[in-house]
């Protein structure tokens, strides 16, 4: 896949986690700006999902199997939006903590996606 996009998503996810973690530290819920940040990260992950599916359709295969790769792609795509939806139900600092945790999960999923794809698809 695209290593640069994977790194960009990981960095953006960690930045979002730090931003929402800072809001939680200040006892603040998620705000509109946080949701814009979540949208940016989600668009990056959507691009990765599309590129991954296109590469699979072109016949490229991940080192560790197609099913696990697609499962991680879908999980990565769902991580931040799911955390954002949960933060809407919890309008306290815990909503910000939820988004920060979801963003950290996304960063870890990106490392795993990189490992699953391997070097054969590069």
């Amino acid at each position: 896949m695209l290593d640069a996009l994977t790194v960009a998503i990981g960095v953006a996810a960690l930045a979002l986690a730090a931003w929402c973690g800072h809001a939680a530290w200040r006892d603040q819920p998620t705000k509109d700006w946080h949701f814009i940040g979540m949208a940016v990260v989600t668009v990056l992950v959507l691009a990765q999902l599309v590129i991954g599916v296109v590469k699979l359709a072109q016949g490229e295969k991940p080192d560790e199997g197609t099913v696990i790769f697609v499962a991680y792609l879908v999980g990565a795509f769902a991580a931040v939006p799911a955390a954002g939806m949960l933060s809407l139900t919890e309008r306290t600092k815990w909503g910000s903590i939820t988004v920060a945790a979801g963003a950290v999960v996304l960063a870890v999923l990106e490392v795993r996606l990189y490992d699953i794809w391997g070097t054969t698809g590069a």
Side-chain angles (χ1 to χ4, degrees):
M1 275 206 335
L2 296 176
D3 293 346
L5 181 58
T6 302
V7 169
I9 293 168
V11 168
L14 291 175
L16 179 64
W19 188 21
C20 290
H22 183 262
W25 180 67
R26 296 182 65 201
D27 259 350
Q28 296 176 342
T30 49
K31 299 193 174 166
D32 291 344
W33 288 107
H34 296 117
F35 286 98
I36 292 170
M38 287 182 252
V40 169
V41 171
T42 301
V43 167
L44 289 172
V45 179
L46 177 61
Q48 182 183 44
L49 176 70
V50 169
I51 290 168
V53 169
V54 167
K55 288 201 175 271
L56 290 173
Q58 291 174 343
E60 294 185 40
K61 299 290 181 201
D63 284 352
E64 295 187 28
T66 302
V67 173
I68 191 86
F69 178 72
V70 171
Y72 270 87
L73 274 178
V74 171
F77 179 68
V80 171
M85 292 295 288
L86 286 172
S87 77
L88 285 173
T89 63
E90 183 59 51
R91 302 301 294 162
T92 65
K93 73 175 184 177
W94 295 103
S96 294
I97 291 171
T98 301
V99 174
V104 169
V105 166
L106 174 59
V108 172
L109 288 173
E110 290 301 312
V111 171
R112 186 68 182 116
L113 273 167
Y114 180 80
D115 289 341
I116 291 169
W117 186 258
T119 58
T120 61

